[in-house]
Amino acid sequence: MPIVRVLMYPGRTQQQKDDLAKAITDAVETIAKAKRDQTIVIIQEVRKEEYYVGANRAA
């Protein structure tokens, strides 16, 4: 069972997240030959203030 976790900044609409989950599921089904109903996509929104690059806050 593939599990794909997407971390991204907040601000996308529900439709955008739905479309992204579908596109990821399509890709996993096509490329990894995994069953759609066994593919889990987790979209987690993380505030910009929580991202650090090279020990510096990215925001």
Side-chain angles (χ1 to χ4, degrees):
M1 164 184 357
I3 300 173
V4 179
R5 183 174 176 200
V6 178
L7 300 173
M8 63 183 180
Y9 295 148
R12 274 60 172 212
T13 66
Q14 187 60 53
Q15 185 62 55
Q16 288 172 313
K17 291 185 272 187
D18 292 347
D19 293 345
L20 179 59
K22 182 184 181 309
I24 291 168
T25 301
D26 291 346
V28 170
E29 180 181 38
T30 300
I31 296 166
K33 308 297 185 211
K35 294 181 181 181
R36 295 184 72 76
D37 62 349
Q38 294 180 358
T39 300
I40 298 171
V41 177
I42 301 166
I43 297 176
Q44 183 177 1
E45 294 182 331
V46 180
R47 295 177 309 131
K48 291 180 181 182
E49 296 81 14
E50 303 299 326
Y51 282 90
Y52 290 79
V53 178
N56 298 305
R57 192 172 339 162

